[in-house]
Amino acid sequence: MPAVQDHITSRTPMGATRVADGVTVRFWAPAAERVHVAFGGAVGYRPRPQDELVRDPGTGHWTGFFPGVGARTKYRFLVQGRGGTGFKRDPYARELERYGYPDCDSIVVDGDAYPWHDAGFRTPAFSDLIVYQFHVGVFHAVDAQGGDIRAKRVAKLLDAVQRVPYLAELGVTAVQPLPVVEFQGEWSLGYNGTDLFSPEMDYCVAPEELGPYLAVVNGLLAARGAGAVTAEQLAGQVSQLKAFVDICHLYGIAVLIDVVYNHAGGGLDAQSLDYIDLPADPGPDNNAYFSAEGWAGGRVFGYGREEVRRYLIDNATMFLEEYHADGLRFDEVSVMDAKGGWFLCQELTEQLRRRKPGAVQIAEYWGGHRWLAVHRPPAGMGFDIGYSDALRDAVRATLAEAAAGAHVEVGIGRIGAALRPPWGFEHGWQAYQCLENHDLVLDADDHREPRLAALAGGGDARSWYARSRSRAATGVLLTAPGVPMLFMGQEFLEDKLWSDSPDRPDRLIWWDGVDGADRHMADFRRCVRDLIHLRRTFPALRADPIHVWQPGERVLAWQRWVPGEGRDVVVVVSLSESTADGFALGFPRSGRWREVFNSDYYDHFPNPWVRGNAGGVDADGPPRQGFAQSAVLTLPANSILVFTRDESLA
């Protein structure tokens, strides 16, 4: 007799779901002939009538209810198709057995096992986002004595969580780890996921190794007045990812999950969702979850099938609801669009917005009309924020010119053009801005770009030229319209390309440098921290309006303000190699303008030779550069200065 259908309705979730007295199961394999569930695991399993799921011929779903099955029970599907019989992992499995992957079981998860502490956290407004991107596997890991052990093993989520207080002190308002779902192998960038609902097991700690981490987690919780967790509550992979999000929230940091819906794999093994129903002649046209097209070594999803669209939307919803994520970064949406995913994107963004309207949706979209990503349907795909490379490319090109020496003409005006929001973007914050990211500064066989310090120094990443130009460039990013993103190590002048492999210790970001071994790194981190504080303090730097002008050679200035309120801020950046005394700059209003930031102060902090304006300037001079008044100021070499008339923050 097949599995009973108690508790099974049209609303029964996909996968294995705990209910009061057992587990419901729903599995999609439209062309399968029979499906059994091997509870207890696949090893030694023999099909039993009571384990057989019931097929809905209208949908291709297989369902059943299994009384008495509890949390942490292992299971696998035994699928009989026209091409044979074999085991399949649950595509919706929330967790996988730690050992033997990919020949491993799925695990029934208790969604309430982890005790959340983040009820008081509120996701930042989109315009308030300042994002920090990092890779879990190489970010941070130390032993009990504080020694760096990243070269010995893949770093874990519970290693990364130990840097949350550092990130909170830096001032970022969100973190964006590279993808954290299961992929083939021990290490990867993460964009080759195979089991999209399961946390990457190599980023998680085995129960027998949990002891030291439990003390660390409880220490972080206690520091924020939150209750402790037990080893049992922290033991699962799901719980460890939840603990990471929970602690970020307690320290005031939102979490954005990086998801990949343009393809799955490579490395799609025989027990994956690839050919889920075991067809007789596997080919490009009979793979239920995938189309005939490939991308990045994997398979492109079959966006035209309702169940595939539901799978991807369910995955995104899981992160927002079950993991309390504050938003999602969607990888290569341009590929999704090009390969038939336009309507999925519209359906996805609208459904997620209804479920959690405050969650930000960020599209990596490189199509010819960038505005299509951020316009609401039917004209666009409906994402909130879209990637922009204009400012990044302009700043990097200008730095490269400046690094060639004082005699070279520097086209700083290209930065001015890139400061304006991309065409068709309604708000400045809809542009996702960066100067470095995981793709750009990756040590790979194909061509990559140098890190900011190496680029700015023209070959000497620790020279005054590298330090001063990098401060100016980072200041541009953090005073520009858009949502700024920093890549790990950028905040402390890391100059090495990075690698996702723990076998490349020469490519790990150098925490010892910022922790005291390199005073220039520590000084630079202080500069970035204060720039972030500046952005968070002055609302004009997060508002839409901007007016840009070029008052001199290698000099650029811009005005930011809050519509209807004023609260003006003026930013001036110089890439000249000499200080300009008596520099005349137009200002939008007369009177005293406070100098609230001077990057020159951070070289050999506090710089005993700092050049600046003693706290402010008076805009009482003659008309200049289209303004009715001007001020005479000292403009340090390779610097960025910020002035304000925001009396509310005086």
Side-chain angles (χ1 to χ4, degrees):
M1 179 179 179
V4 297
Q5 296 296 295
D6 296 0
H7 301 284
I8 301 297
T9 71
S10 61
R11 300 174 65 87
T12 298
M14 298 293 294
T17 306
R18 291 185 69 242
V19 293
D21 50 352
V23 166
T24 63
V25 172
R26 185 184 291 274
F27 177 71
W28 184 58
E33 296 178 338
R34 302 179 73 179
V35 178
H36 291 75
V37 187
F39 281 111
V43 176
Y45 176 75
R46 293 179 179 274
R48 303 180 306 170
Q50 61 267 37
D51 298 337
E52 186 170 358
L53 298 177
V54 175
R55 185 177 190 271
D56 180 340
T59 64
H61 289 177
W62 298 79
T63 59
F65 169 68
F66 298 88
V69 174
R72 310 308 300 173
T73 300
K74 298 189 293 185
Y75 70 101
R76 218 179 307 189
F77 295 112
L78 181 64
V79 178
Q80 178 181 324
R82 294 175 183 174
T85 300
F87 285 107
K88 289 287 186 178
R89 300 186 299 277
D90 183 0
Y92 277 78
R94 296 309 199 264
E95 194 165 317
L96 298 175
E97 186 181 17
R98 285 194 61 86
Y99 305 105
Y101 181 84
D103 183 16
C104 67
D105 293 314
S106 306
I107 296 174
V108 176
V109 169
D110 178 2
D112 298 323
Y114 182 80
W116 288 94
H117 307 82
D118 66 346
F121 180 76
R122 297 293 176 267
T123 302
F126 299 163
S127 60
D128 292 342
L129 289 170
I130 303 168
V131 181
Y132 188 94
Q133 186 190 37
F134 71 97
H135 182 280
V136 172
V138 296
F139 182 54
H140 174 264
V142 295
D143 58 22
Q145 290 72 45
D148 195 328
I149 56 174
R150 289 174 294 166
K152 299 178 180 178
R153 62 160 174 80
V154 173
K156 316 297 182 186
L157 286 160
L158 297 185
D159 291 316
V161 82
Q162 298 173 46
R163 277 290 174 178
V164 169
Y166 164 87
L167 294 171
E169 197 272 340
L170 182 63
V172 296
T173 61
V175 292
Q176 181 188 300
L178 272 67
V180 294
V181 300
E182 189 61 48
F183 50 76
Q184 292 276 6
E186 185 179 7
W187 53 268
S188 165
L189 291 179
Y191 294 95
N192 56 334
T194 53
D195 298 78
L196 304 193
F197 283 75
S198 306
E200 167 55 41
M201 61 183 69
D202 287 303
Y203 290 169
C204 299
V205 178
E208 62 270 19
E209 301 170 350
L210 196 59
Y213 290 100
L214 181 65
V216 168
V217 167
N218 281 329
L220 291 167
L221 291 171
R224 285 296 186 266
V229 297
T230 65
E232 183 180 8
Q233 291 169 331
L234 196 60
Q237 298 156 34
V238 168
S239 291
Q240 290 176 31
L241 179 53
K242 287 180 176 179
F244 175 80
V245 177
D246 194 27
I247 290 172
C248 283
H249 284 175
L250 288 174
Y251 282 77
I253 299 173
V255 179
L256 312 179
I257 300 294
D258 195 343
V259 295
V260 183
Y261 297 156
N262 53 73
H263 77 288
L268 290 168
D269 62 281
Q271 297 192 40
S272 72
L273 76 172
D274 196 26
Y275 296 107
I276 194 72
D277 42 21
L278 299 180
D281 297 302
D285 299 319
N286 61 355
N287 199 344
Y289 275 96
F290 299 108
S291 73
E293 297 196 68
W295 178 256
R299 299 192 190 277
V300 174
F301 286 103
Y303 302 119
R305 301 179 193 114
E306 180 180 353
E307 295 302 330
V308 175
R309 296 195 303 274
R310 174 51 47 199
Y311 174 73
L312 299 174
I313 293 170
D314 285 348
N315 183 256
T317 302
M318 175 196 70
F319 284 117
L320 296 184
E321 295 185 347
E322 297 179 25
Y323 285 99
H324 295 197
D326 302 284
L328 301 167
R329 180 262 186 192
F330 296 87
D331 181 65
E332 280 289 9
V333 172
S334 28
V335 174
M336 298 172 67
D337 178 26
K339 297 184 180 294
W342 171 272
F343 293 110
L344 163 68
C345 291
Q346 292 183 325
E347 185 180 358
L348 171 72
T349 57
E350 289 299 293
Q351 289 200 29
L352 296 182
R353 190 167 288 113
R354 284 197 296 270
R355 298 291 287 265
K356 196 170 183 178
V360 67
Q361 302 182 57
I362 303 171
E364 184 195 13
Y365 183 69
W366 303 116
H369 303 289
R370 303 286 173 84
W371 59 269
L372 290 174
V374 298
H375 277 226
R376 296 289 177 89
M381 288 180 278
F383 297 95
D384 299 305
I385 293 173
Y387 268 59
S388 176
D389 54 2
L391 184 64
R392 179 193 79 194
D393 292 350
V395 169
R396 295 181 72 88
T398 306
L399 282 182
E401 289 177 348
H407 64 285
V408 175
E409 182 178 350
V410 172
I412 200 168
R414 66 167 70 89
I415 295 177
L419 284 168
R420 300 177 180 89
W423 190 90
F425 282 46
E426 183 179 0
H427 299 288
W429 52 259
Q430 290 183 290
Y432 206 41
Q433 310 277 29
C434 71
L435 302 180
E436 296 183 352
N437 62 40
H438 73 281
D439 272 329
L440 198 69
V441 298
L442 174 69
D443 185 6
D445 292 334
D446 54 347
H447 177 69
R448 302 291 168 158
E449 298 290 336
R451 297 204 71 157
L452 209 60
L455 175 66
D460 184 351
R462 283 295 172 271
S463 68
W464 171 80
Y465 297 101
R467 302 192 307 268
S468 58
R469 292 180 187 132
S470 295
R471 288 192 296 266
T474 305
V476 171
L477 174 69
L478 289 167
T479 59
V483 169
M485 184 188 76
L486 301 169
F487 184 62
M488 60 179 186
Q490 182 181 346
E491 79 278 14
F492 56 76
L493 208 64
E494 179 60 75
D495 62 301
K496 303 185 301 295
L497 297 178
W498 81 286
S499 170
D500 57 332
S501 171
D503 296 333
R504 292 295 307 274
D506 59 318
R507 291 304 186 212
L508 297 170
I509 62 172
W510 191 36
W511 285 112
D512 287 349
V514 72
D515 289 338
D518 185 325
R519 69 122 358 118
H520 296 311
M521 283 184 152
D523 289 347
F524 195 85
R525 189 206 62 84
R526 184 190 296 268
C527 176
V528 174
R529 181 200 66 183
D530 289 356
L531 279 166
I532 291 173
H533 176 75
L534 195 76
R535 186 178 183 90
R536 295 182 63 172
T537 299
F538 293 99
L541 294 177
R542 308 188 304 276
D544 286 343
I546 185 168
H547 171 68
V548 184
W549 70 101
Q550 187 171 345
E553 187 179 353
R554 290 196 178 204
V555 179
L556 194 69
W558 53 97
Q559 174 195 6
R560 308 290 309 278
W561 68 94
V562 179
E565 298 181 34
R567 309 183 72 172
D568 296 48
V569 168
V570 168
V571 182
V572 55
V573 62
S574 170
L575 289 177
S576 172
E577 293 186 10
S578 58
T579 294
D581 292 305
F583 187 87
L585 181 70
F587 276 84
R589 294 170 58 192
S590 61
R592 185 71 174 172
W593 286 78
R594 291 184 296 125
E595 185 181 65
V596 292
F597 185 84
N598 178 352
S599 63
D600 195 45
Y601 184 55
Y602 295 88
D603 204 66
H604 295 90
F605 181 89
N607 187 353
W609 310 284
V610 64
R611 301 298 306 276
N613 298 282
V617 296
D618 293 307
D620 54 7
R624 285 189 184 274
Q625 299 139 22
F627 295 100
Q629 54 281 314
S630 62
V632 175
L633 52 90
T634 296
L635 187 55
N638 288 339
S639 69
I640 186 165
L641 306 179
V642 181
F643 299 91
T644 185
R645 282 291 307 269
D646 191 343
E647 289 85 357
S648 66
L649 297 170

